Every structure is written in C-alpha cells, then in structure tokens.
Coordinates of all heavy atoms in Angstrom, one line a residue:
I1 N 20.3 48.9 -56.6 CA 20.5 47.9 -55.6 C 21.8 48.1 -54.9 O 21.8 47.9 -53.7 CB 20.5 46.5 -56.3 CG1 19.1 46.2 -56.9 CG2 20.9 45.4 -55.4 CD1 19.0 45.0 -57.8
A2 N 22.8 48.5 -55.6 CA 24.1 48.8 -54.9 C 24.0 49.9 -53.8 O 24.6 49.8 -52.8 CB 25.2 49.2 -55.9
K3 N 23.2 50.9 -54.1 CA 23.0 52.0 -53.1 C 22.4 51.4 -51.8 O 22.8 51.8 -50.7 CB 22.0 53.0 -53.7 CG 21.6 54.1 -52.8 CD 20.6 55.0 -53.4 CE 20.0 56.0 -52.4 NZ 18.9 56.7 -52.9
W4 N 21.4 50.5 -52.0 CA 20.8 49.9 -50.8 C 21.8 49.0 -50.0 O 21.8 49.0 -48.8 CB 19.5 49.1 -51.2 CG 18.4 50.0 -51.3 CD1 17.8 50.4 -52.5 CD2 17.7 50.7 -50.3 NE1 16.8 51.3 -52.2 CE2 16.7 51.5 -50.9 CE3 17.9 50.7 -48.9 CZ2 15.9 52.3 -50.1 CZ3 17.0 51.6 -48.2 CH2 16.0 52.3 -48.8
F5 N 22.6 48.3 -50.8 CA 23.6 47.4 -50.1 C 24.6 48.3 -49.3 O 25.0 48.0 -48.2 CB 24.4 46.6 -51.0 CG 23.6 45.3 -51.4 CD1 23.4 45.0 -52.7 CD2 23.1 44.5 -50.4 CE1 22.7 43.8 -53.1 CE2 22.4 43.3 -50.8 CZ 22.2 43.0 -52.1
R6 N 25.0 49.5 -49.8 CA 25.9 50.4 -49.1 C 25.1 51.0 -47.9 O 25.7 51.1 -46.8 CB 26.3 51.5 -50.0 CG 27.4 51.1 -51.0 CD 28.0 52.3 -51.7 NE 27.1 53.0 -52.5 CZ 26.8 52.7 -53.8 NH1 27.4 51.7 -54.4 NH2 25.9 53.5 -54.5
A7 N 23.9 51.3 -48.0 CA 23.1 51.8 -46.9 C 23.0 50.8 -45.8 O 23.1 51.0 -44.6 CB 21.7 52.3 -47.3
L8 N 22.8 49.5 -46.2 CA 22.6 48.4 -45.2 C 24.0 48.2 -44.5 O 24.0 48.0 -43.3 CB 22.2 47.1 -45.9 CG 20.8 47.1 -46.3 CD1 20.5 45.9 -47.2 CD2 19.8 47.1 -45.1
A9 N 25.1 48.2 -45.2 CA 26.4 48.0 -44.6 C 26.7 49.1 -43.6 O 27.2 48.9 -42.5 CB 27.5 48.0 -45.7
D10 N 26.3 50.4 -43.9 CA 26.5 51.5 -43.0 C 25.7 51.3 -41.8 O 26.1 51.6 -40.6 CB 26.2 52.8 -43.7 CG 26.4 54.0 -42.8 OD1 27.5 54.1 -42.2 OD2 25.5 54.8 -42.6
A11 N 24.4 50.9 -41.9 CA 23.5 50.7 -40.8 C 24.0 49.6 -39.9 O 23.7 49.6 -38.7 CB 22.1 50.5 -41.3
A12 N 24.7 48.6 -40.4 CA 25.1 47.5 -39.6 C 26.4 47.7 -38.8 O 26.7 46.9 -38.0 CB 25.4 46.3 -40.6
E13 N 27.1 48.9 -39.1 CA 28.3 49.2 -38.3 C 27.9 49.5 -36.9 O 26.8 50.0 -36.6 CB 29.0 50.4 -38.9 CG 29.7 50.1 -40.2 CD 30.4 51.3 -40.8 OE1 30.7 52.2 -40.0 OE2 30.7 51.3 -42.0
D14 N 28.8 49.1 -36.0 CA 28.5 49.3 -34.5 C 28.4 50.8 -34.2 O 29.3 51.5 -34.6 CB 29.6 48.6 -33.7 CG 29.6 47.1 -33.7 OD1 28.5 46.6 -34.0 OD2 30.6 46.5 -33.4
K15 N 27.4 51.1 -33.6 CA 27.2 52.5 -33.1 C 26.7 52.5 -31.7 O 25.8 51.7 -31.3 CB 26.1 53.2 -34.0 CG 26.6 53.4 -35.4 CD 25.4 54.0 -36.3 CE 25.8 54.1 -37.7 NZ 25.8 52.9 -38.5
S16 N 27.3 53.3 -30.8 CA 26.8 53.3 -29.4 C 27.0 54.7 -28.8 O 27.8 55.5 -29.3 CB 27.6 52.3 -28.6 OG 28.9 52.6 -28.6
D17 N 26.3 55.0 -27.8 CA 26.3 56.2 -27.1 C 26.7 55.9 -25.6 O 26.3 54.9 -25.1 CB 25.0 57.0 -27.1 CG 24.6 57.4 -28.5 OD1 25.5 57.7 -29.3 OD2 23.4 57.5 -28.7
E18 N 27.4 56.8 -25.0 CA 27.7 56.7 -23.6 C 26.8 57.7 -22.8 O 26.8 58.9 -23.2 CB 29.1 56.9 -23.2 CG 30.0 55.7 -23.7 CD 31.4 55.8 -23.2 OE1 31.8 56.8 -22.6 OE2 32.2 54.9 -23.5
V19 N 26.0 57.2 -21.9 CA 25.1 58.1 -21.2 C 25.4 58.0 -19.7 O 25.6 56.9 -19.1 CB 23.6 57.6 -21.4 CG1 22.6 58.4 -20.6 CG2 23.3 57.7 -22.9
K20 N 25.4 59.1 -19.0 CA 25.6 59.2 -17.6 C 24.3 58.9 -16.8 O 23.3 59.6 -17.1 CB 26.2 60.6 -17.2 CG 26.9 60.6 -15.9 CD 28.4 60.4 -16.1 CE 29.1 60.9 -14.9 NZ 30.1 60.0 -14.5
R21 N 24.3 57.9 -16.0 CA 23.1 57.6 -15.2 C 23.6 57.6 -13.7 O 24.2 56.6 -13.3 CB 22.5 56.3 -15.6 CG 21.9 56.3 -16.9 CD 21.0 55.1 -17.2 NE 20.4 55.2 -18.5 CZ 19.9 54.2 -19.1 NH1 19.9 53.0 -18.6 NH2 19.3 54.4 -20.3
G22 N 23.4 58.7 -13.0 CA 23.9 58.8 -11.7 C 25.4 58.8 -11.7 O 26.0 59.7 -12.3
T23 N 26.0 57.9 -11.0 CA 27.5 57.9 -10.9 C 28.1 57.0 -12.0 O 29.3 56.9 -12.2 CB 28.0 57.4 -9.6 OG1 27.4 56.1 -9.3 CG2 27.5 58.4 -8.5
E24 N 27.2 56.2 -12.7 CA 27.7 55.3 -13.7 C 27.6 55.8 -15.1 O 26.7 56.6 -15.4 CB 26.8 54.0 -13.7 CG 27.1 53.1 -12.5 CD 26.3 51.8 -12.6 OE1 25.2 51.8 -13.1 OE2 26.9 50.8 -12.2
T25 N 28.5 55.4 -16.0 CA 28.4 55.7 -17.4 C 28.0 54.4 -18.1 O 28.6 53.4 -17.9 CB 29.7 56.2 -17.9 OG1 30.1 57.4 -17.2 CG2 29.6 56.5 -19.4
V26 N 26.9 54.5 -18.8 CA 26.3 53.3 -19.4 C 26.4 53.4 -20.9 O 26.2 54.5 -21.5 CB 24.8 53.1 -19.1 CG1 24.2 51.9 -19.7 CG2 24.6 53.1 -17.6
R27 N 26.8 52.4 -21.6 CA 27.0 52.4 -23.1 C 25.7 51.8 -23.7 O 25.3 50.7 -23.3 CB 28.1 51.6 -23.5 CG 28.4 51.6 -25.0 CD 29.6 50.8 -25.4 NE 30.7 51.6 -24.8 CZ 31.7 52.2 -25.5 NH1 31.6 52.1 -26.8 NH2 32.6 52.9 -25.0
I28 N 25.0 52.5 -24.5 CA 23.8 52.1 -25.2 C 24.0 51.8 -26.6 O 24.5 52.6 -27.4 CB 22.7 53.2 -25.0 CG1 22.4 53.4 -23.5 CG2 21.4 52.7 -25.7 CD1 21.4 54.6 -23.3
N29 N 23.7 50.6 -27.0 CA 23.9 50.1 -28.4 C 22.8 50.8 -29.3 O 21.7 50.5 -29.1 CB 23.8 48.6 -28.5 CG 24.1 48.1 -29.9 OD1 24.3 48.9 -30.8 ND2 24.2 46.8 -30.0
Q30 N 23.3 51.6 -30.3 CA 22.3 52.2 -31.2 C 22.4 51.6 -32.6 O 21.8 52.2 -33.5 CB 22.7 53.7 -31.3 CG 22.6 54.5 -30.0 CD 21.1 54.6 -29.5 OE1 20.2 54.4 -30.3 NE2 20.9 55.0 -28.3
T31 N 23.1 50.5 -32.7 CA 23.2 49.9 -34.1 C 21.8 49.5 -34.6 O 21.1 48.8 -33.9 CB 24.1 48.6 -34.0 OG1 25.4 49.0 -33.4 CG2 24.4 48.0 -35.4
G32 N 21.5 50.0 -35.7 CA 20.2 49.6 -36.3 C 19.0 50.4 -35.7 O 17.9 50.1 -36.1
A33 N 19.3 51.4 -34.9 CA 18.2 52.1 -34.2 C 17.5 53.1 -35.2 O 16.4 53.5 -35.0 CB 18.7 52.8 -33.0
K34 N 18.3 53.6 -36.1 CA 17.8 54.6 -37.1 C 17.2 53.9 -38.3 O 17.8 53.1 -38.9 CB 18.9 55.5 -37.5 CG 18.5 56.6 -38.5 CD 19.7 57.5 -38.9 CE 19.3 58.4 -40.0 NZ 20.5 59.0 -40.6
P35 N 15.9 54.2 -38.6 CA 15.3 53.5 -39.7 C 15.9 54.0 -41.1 O 16.4 55.1 -41.2 CB 13.8 54.0 -39.7 CG 13.7 55.1 -38.7 CD 15.0 55.1 -37.9
L36 N 16.0 53.1 -42.0 CA 16.6 53.4 -43.3 C 15.5 54.0 -44.2 O 15.8 54.8 -45.1 CB 17.2 52.1 -44.0 CG 18.4 51.5 -43.3 CD1 18.8 50.2 -44.0 CD2 19.6 52.5 -43.4
L37 N 14.3 53.5 -44.1 CA 13.2 54.0 -44.9 C 12.5 55.1 -44.2 O 12.3 55.1 -43.0 CB 12.2 52.9 -45.2 CG 12.8 51.7 -46.0 CD1 11.7 50.6 -46.2 CD2 13.3 52.1 -47.3
T38 N 12.1 56.1 -44.9 CA 11.3 57.2 -44.4 C 10.0 57.3 -45.2 O 9.8 56.5 -46.2 CB 12.0 58.5 -44.5 OG1 12.2 58.8 -45.9 CG2 13.4 58.5 -43.8
S39 N 9.1 58.1 -44.8 CA 7.9 58.3 -45.6 C 8.1 58.7 -47.0 O 7.3 58.5 -47.9 CB 6.9 59.3 -44.9 OG 7.5 60.5 -44.8
A40 N 9.3 59.3 -47.3 CA 9.6 59.8 -48.6 C 10.0 58.6 -49.5 O 9.9 58.6 -50.7 CB 10.6 60.8 -48.6
T41 N 10.6 57.6 -48.9 CA 11.2 56.4 -49.6 C 10.3 55.2 -49.6 O 10.5 54.3 -50.3 CB 12.6 56.1 -49.2 OG1 12.6 55.8 -47.8 CG2 13.6 57.2 -49.4
G42 N 9.4 55.1 -48.7 CA 8.6 53.9 -48.5 C 7.2 54.3 -48.0 O 6.9 55.4 -47.7
K43 N 6.4 53.2 -47.9 CA 5.1 53.4 -47.3 C 4.9 52.4 -46.2 O 5.3 51.2 -46.4 CB 4.0 53.3 -48.4 CG 4.0 52.0 -49.1 CD 2.9 52.0 -50.2 CE 2.9 50.7 -51.0 NZ 1.9 50.6 -52.0
P44 N 4.3 52.8 -45.1 CA 4.0 51.9 -44.0 C 3.0 50.8 -44.4 O 2.1 51.1 -45.2 CB 3.6 52.8 -42.9 CG 3.1 54.0 -43.5 CD 3.8 54.1 -44.8
L45 N 3.2 49.7 -43.9 CA 2.3 48.5 -44.1 C 2.1 47.9 -42.8 O 3.0 47.4 -42.1 CB 2.9 47.6 -45.1 CG 2.2 46.3 -45.3 CD1 0.8 46.5 -46.1 CD2 3.0 45.3 -46.2
K46 N 0.8 47.8 -42.3 CA 0.5 47.2 -41.0 C 0.1 45.8 -41.3 O -0.8 45.5 -42.2 CB -0.6 47.9 -40.3 CG -0.8 47.4 -38.9 CD -1.3 48.5 -38.1 CE -1.4 48.0 -36.7 NZ -0.8 48.8 -35.7
I47 N 0.8 44.8 -40.7 CA 0.5 43.4 -41.0 C -0.1 42.8 -39.7 O 0.4 42.9 -38.6 CB 1.9 42.7 -41.3 CG1 2.5 43.3 -42.5 CG2 1.6 41.2 -41.5 CD1 3.8 42.7 -42.9
G48 N -1.2 42.1 -39.9 CA -1.9 41.4 -38.8 C -1.1 40.2 -38.4 O -0.3 39.6 -39.1
V49 N -1.2 39.9 -37.1 CA -0.5 38.7 -36.6 C -1.5 37.6 -36.5 O -2.4 37.5 -35.6 CB 0.0 39.1 -35.2 CG1 0.8 37.9 -34.6 CG2 0.8 40.3 -35.2
P50 N -1.4 36.6 -37.4 CA -2.4 35.5 -37.5 C -2.4 34.6 -36.2 O -3.5 34.1 -35.9 CB -2.0 34.7 -38.7 CG -0.6 35.1 -39.0 CD -0.4 36.5 -38.4
G51 N -1.3 34.5 -35.6 CA -1.2 33.6 -34.4 C -1.5 34.3 -33.1 O -1.2 33.8 -32.0
K52 N -2.1 35.5 -33.2 CA -2.4 36.4 -32.0 C -1.2 36.7 -31.1 O -1.3 36.8 -29.9 CB -3.5 35.7 -31.2 CG -4.7 35.2 -32.0 CD -5.5 36.4 -32.4 CE -6.8 36.0 -33.0 NZ -6.9 36.0 -34.4
G53 N 0.0 36.8 -31.8 CA 1.2 37.3 -31.0 C 1.8 36.2 -30.2 O 2.4 36.5 -29.2
K54 N 1.8 34.9 -30.7 CA 2.5 33.9 -30.0 C 4.0 34.2 -30.0 O 4.5 35.0 -30.7 CB 2.3 32.5 -30.7 CG 0.8 32.1 -30.6 CD 0.7 30.7 -31.3 CE -0.8 30.3 -31.2 NZ -1.1 29.1 -31.9
D55 N 4.8 33.5 -29.1 CA 6.2 33.7 -29.0 C 6.9 33.6 -30.3 O 7.9 34.3 -30.6 CB 6.8 32.7 -28.0 CG 6.4 33.1 -26.5 OD1 5.9 34.2 -26.3 OD2 6.6 32.3 -25.6
F56 N 6.5 32.6 -31.1 CA 7.2 32.5 -32.4 C 6.1 32.1 -33.5 O 5.3 31.2 -33.3 CB 8.2 31.3 -32.4 CG 8.9 31.0 -33.7 CD1 9.9 31.8 -34.1 CD2 8.4 30.1 -34.5 CE1 10.6 31.6 -35.3 CE2 9.0 29.8 -35.7 CZ 10.1 30.6 -36.1
E57 N 6.1 32.9 -34.5 CA 5.2 32.6 -35.6 C 5.8 33.2 -36.9 O 6.6 34.2 -36.9 CB 3.8 33.1 -35.4 CG 3.7 34.6 -35.2 CD 2.3 35.0 -34.8 OE1 1.4 34.8 -35.7 OE2 2.1 35.5 -33.7
V58 N 5.4 32.7 -38.0 CA 5.8 33.2 -39.4 C 4.7 34.0 -39.9 O 3.5 33.6 -39.9 CB 6.1 32.0 -40.3 CG1 6.4 32.5 -41.7 CG2 7.2 31.1 -39.7
V59 N 5.0 35.2 -40.4 CA 4.0 36.1 -40.9 C 4.5 36.5 -42.4 O 5.6 36.8 -42.6 CB 4.0 37.4 -40.1 CG1 3.0 38.4 -40.7 CG2 3.6 37.1 -38.7
G60 N 3.5 36.4 -43.3 CA 3.8 36.7 -44.7 C 3.6 38.2 -45.0 O 2.9 38.9 -44.3
I61 N 4.4 38.7 -46.0 CA 4.3 40.1 -46.4 C 3.7 40.1 -47.8 O 4.3 39.6 -48.7 CB 5.7 40.7 -46.4 CG1 6.3 40.6 -45.0 CG2 5.5 42.2 -46.8 CD1 7.7 41.1 -44.9
P62 N 2.5 40.7 -48.0 CA 1.9 40.7 -49.3 C 2.6 41.8 -50.2 O 2.4 43.0 -50.0 CB 0.4 41.1 -49.0 CG 0.5 41.8 -47.7 CD 1.6 41.2 -46.9
L63 N 3.4 41.4 -51.1 CA 4.2 42.3 -51.9 C 3.5 42.7 -53.3 O 3.9 43.6 -53.9 CB 5.6 41.8 -52.2 CG 6.4 41.7 -50.9 CD1 7.8 41.1 -51.2 CD2 6.6 43.0 -50.2
G64 N 2.5 41.9 -53.7 CA 1.8 42.3 -54.9 C 2.3 41.7 -56.2 O 1.7 40.9 -56.8
Q65 N 3.5 42.2 -56.6 CA 4.1 41.8 -57.9 C 5.5 41.4 -57.7 O 6.2 41.8 -56.8 CB 4.1 43.0 -58.8 CG 2.7 43.6 -59.2 CD 2.8 44.8 -60.1 OE1 3.7 44.9 -60.9 NE2 1.8 45.7 -60.0
P66 N 6.0 40.6 -58.7 CA 7.5 40.3 -58.6 C 8.3 41.6 -58.8 O 7.9 42.5 -59.4 CB 7.7 39.4 -59.8 CG 6.3 38.9 -60.2 CD 5.4 40.0 -59.8
G67 N 9.5 41.6 -58.2 CA 10.3 42.7 -58.3 C 11.3 42.8 -57.1 O 11.4 41.9 -56.3
F68 N 12.1 43.9 -57.1 CA 13.0 44.1 -56.0 C 12.4 45.0 -55.0 O 11.9 46.1 -55.2 CB 14.3 44.9 -56.6 CG 15.3 45.2 -55.6 CD1 16.1 44.2 -55.1 CD2 15.5 46.5 -55.1 CE1 17.1 44.4 -54.1 CE2 16.5 46.7 -54.2 CZ 17.3 45.7 -53.7
Y69 N 12.3 44.5 -53.8 CA 11.6 45.2 -52.7 C 12.6 45.4 -51.5 O 13.4 44.5 -51.2 CB 10.4 44.4 -52.1 CG 9.3 44.4 -53.0 CD1 9.2 43.4 -54.0 CD2 8.3 45.3 -53.0 CE1 8.1 43.3 -54.8 CE2 7.2 45.2 -53.8 CZ 7.1 44.2 -54.7 OH 6.0 44.2 -55.6
I70 N 12.6 46.5 -50.9 CA 13.3 46.8 -49.6 C 12.2 46.8 -48.5 O 11.3 47.6 -48.6 CB 14.0 48.1 -49.7 CG1 15.0 48.2 -50.8 CG2 14.7 48.4 -48.3 CD1 16.1 47.3 -50.8
V71 N 12.4 45.9 -47.6 CA 11.4 45.8 -46.5 C 12.2 46.0 -45.2 O 13.1 45.4 -44.9 CB 10.8 44.4 -46.5 CG1 9.8 44.2 -45.3 CG2 10.1 44.1 -47.8
E72 N 11.7 47.0 -44.4 CA 12.2 47.3 -43.1 C 11.1 47.0 -42.1 O 10.0 47.6 -42.2 CB 12.7 48.7 -43.0 CG 13.3 49.1 -41.7 CD 13.9 50.5 -41.7 OE1 13.4 51.3 -42.4 OE2 15.0 50.6 -41.1
L73 N 11.4 46.2 -41.1 CA 10.5 45.9 -40.1 C 10.8 46.5 -38.7 O 12.0 46.6 -38.4 CB 10.4 44.3 -39.8 CG 10.1 43.5 -41.1 CD1 10.2 42.0 -40.8 CD2 8.7 43.9 -41.6
A74 N 9.8 47.0 -38.0 CA 10.0 47.6 -36.7 C 9.2 46.9 -35.7 O 8.0 46.5 -36.0 CB 9.6 49.1 -36.8
S75 N 9.8 46.6 -34.6 CA 9.0 46.0 -33.5 C 9.3 46.7 -32.2 O 10.3 46.5 -31.5 CB 9.5 44.5 -33.3 OG 8.8 44.0 -32.2
P76 N 8.5 47.7 -31.8 CA 8.7 48.4 -30.6 C 8.7 47.5 -29.4 O 9.5 47.7 -28.5 CB 7.5 49.4 -30.5 CG 7.1 49.5 -31.9 CD 7.4 48.2 -32.6
R77 N 7.9 46.5 -29.4 CA 7.9 45.5 -28.3 C 9.3 44.8 -28.1 O 9.8 44.6 -27.0 CB 6.8 44.5 -28.5 CG 6.5 43.6 -27.4 CD 5.3 42.8 -27.7 NE 5.0 41.8 -26.7 CZ 4.1 40.9 -26.8 NH1 3.3 40.8 -27.9 NH2 3.9 40.0 -25.9
L78 N 9.8 44.4 -29.3 CA 11.1 43.7 -29.2 C 12.2 44.7 -28.8 O 13.1 44.4 -28.1 CB 11.4 43.1 -30.6 CG 12.8 42.4 -30.7 CD1 12.8 41.2 -29.7 CD2 12.9 41.9 -32.1
G79 N 12.1 46.0 -29.3 CA 13.1 47.0 -29.0 C 13.1 47.3 -27.5 O 14.2 47.6 -26.9
E80 N 12.0 47.2 -26.8 CA 11.9 47.5 -25.4 C 12.6 46.4 -24.6 O 13.2 46.6 -23.6 CB 10.5 47.6 -24.9 CG 9.8 48.8 -25.4 CD 8.3 48.8 -25.0 OE1 7.9 47.9 -24.2 OE2 7.6 49.8 -25.4
A81 N 12.6 45.2 -25.2 CA 13.3 44.0 -24.5 C 14.8 44.2 -24.5 O 15.5 43.8 -23.7 CB 12.9 42.7 -25.2

C-alpha cells in the first residue's frame, strides 16, 4: 500500500512541457498524463454508461471481492477538453 501512495504522490507533482507553436511558446500541463497502471500491473475493464453519457452520472465499478484495489480511470473525451 505504501508503494502505491508513493507512486500517487509522484504522479500528482506538477509536470509540464514547453512547446513552440509558431512564434509562441506554450506550456502544456502533463500532470497525471502518464498512466500508473500498465498491462503488467493491471487489467483493463470496460464499464458501460447506464445513463447513455449524460453530463453527470454515477457509475459503479464491479470489483468482485473485498480487498485493496487500485483503480485508474481514463477518459479520452475529458482529456480532449
């Protein structure tokens, strides 16, 4: 558990890149952009959206048994925004 808390703390640190776009230099926030879980440490789980993708809805995650779980969610649609 302590290992995961250290990994989370590291991922939460501010990270950014400066990219040249034409004559401007733009700073891009990369904090949290790198996934913590990989195929070696976790398994993907596709969760259906019961409310058909409404602006706000609560979605449950079927975990199966009691225990300590690390869950990382990705939303490409939110990332694009």
Side-chain angles (χ1 to χ4, degrees):
I1 294 174
K3 175 184 169 188
W4 279 107
F5 279 129
R6 284 191 296 275
L8 288 172
D10 181 53
E13 288 184 20
D14 289 340
K15 296 175 181 77
S16 62
D17 296 328
E18 289 188 358
V19 178
K20 198 93 161 135
R21 292 194 178 159
T23 59
E24 289 186 323
T25 300
V26 179
R27 183 174 295 246
I28 299 175
N29 185 356
Q30 298 290 346
T31 306
K34 180 181 171 191
L36 292 174
L37 297 177
T38 64
S39 60
T41 58
K43 60 182 179 179
L45 174 67
K46 189 152 184 126
I47 299 174
V49 184
K52 308 290 187 261
K54 292 181 181 175
D55 287 344
F56 179 81
E57 63 184 295
V58 176
V59 178
I61 302 171
L63 297 177
Q65 299 179 27
F68 180 75
Y69 290 88
I70 302 294
V71 178
E72 182 174 33
L73 303 175
S75 174
R77 186 172 175 188
L78 181 60
E80 289 175 6

